[in-house]
Structure formats: structure tokens, C-alpha cells
Amino acid sequence: MDWKLELVFVPVTDVDRAKKFYVEQVGFNADHDHTVRPGLRFVQLTPPGSACSIALGEGITDMAPGSQRGLQVVVPDAAAAREELLGRGVQASDVDVQEWGSFVTFADPDGNTWTLQQMPART
């Protein structure tokens, strides 16, 4: 039986600001933005090429805004991904090269943190 992670909740204070950040600056695809009723809004965004999305909204999680730490995505080139983020106005760390990969970190406006990982070349 396959188990596939498809959705991760990211708690934010301002849904519209967060959606704009993730879509316009980080480059995620906007999949859904639906207000079910007052106080319940669901926004689904997906990183390019990913099978897993994130959900932002109102009334969808009890996590404190900014408390989602260590979300990690794999990219083919950490330096290129960093340059893309910087070019879109996202503050990103320098590339941290380790034996087990190269890493770049950034945070959204609420402080939820992300790590981009470039896997090491296989020998």
C-alpha cells in the first residue's frame, strides 16, 4: 500500500499576504482559494513539480502563525534556486554545502521556515 504525503498546513496571520508571498515571490502554483463560510477559508498552493501542497487559510489549523519549522523541498540546484528566490525579493541564506547535500534556507513573512536541499551527486 502506498502512503503519499499530499498536504501540509502552514499557519499564517494574513492569508492574502502569505498567498502573494508564496505565489509571486517563491513561485508556487495557486491551486485553490475557497471561502466555505465566514471564518473558514482554504487556500492550496503547490511548489512547481511537487506532489505535495501546502494549505493556508482561516479556521483550518490551530497551530500558531510562524510555528511551522523545517519544511524541506528538494531542488536540482541549490545555488540556482537561491538566485531565483533573491531575484524575486525573498531573503535566502547562502548555500551551505555539506557531504549530504547543499542547503538554502528562507522564511515566510510569519517566520515559517523552509530548507531547499540539493542532493549530493551519486557515485
Side-chain angles (χ1 to χ4, degrees):
M1 176 187 325
D2 289 342
W3 291 31
K4 298 178 182 179
L5 182 63
E6 294 192 8
L7 189 68
V8 175
F9 290 86
V10 177
V12 299
T13 55
D14 183 324
V15 178
D16 291 320
R17 177 184 72 175
K19 180 181 176 184
K20 184 175 181 177
F21 173 79
Y22 282 108
V23 172
E24 295 180 13
Q25 292 186 264
V26 182
F28 286 14
N29 298 306
D31 303 321
H32 303 289
D33 187 342
H34 185 71
T35 300
V36 178
R37 65 177 185 277
L40 183 57
R41 178 179 174 194
F42 180 81
V43 177
Q44 183 172 325
L45 311 172
T46 305
S50 179
C52 185
S53 302
I54 64 170
L56 318 169
E58 297 174 41
I60 62 169
T61 182
D62 60 1
M63 290 187 291
S67 64
Q68 185 64 278
R69 302 283 187 205
L71 293 166
Q72 187 162 314
V73 294
V74 174
V75 296
D77 184 329
R82 178 182 184 271
E83 289 304 315
E84 185 174 326
L85 288 173
L86 293 174
R88 292 173 174 235
V90 177
Q91 292 197 354
S93 71
D94 290 335
V95 179
D96 178 17
V97 179
Q98 300 293 329
E99 289 181 34
W100 54 91
S102 298
F103 302 87
V104 173
T105 60
F106 71 94
D108 73 10
D110 285 293
N112 296 298
T113 62
W114 291 80
T115 300
L116 307 179
Q117 178 186 18
Q118 175 184 335
M119 300 297 288
R122 295 194 175 162
T123 55

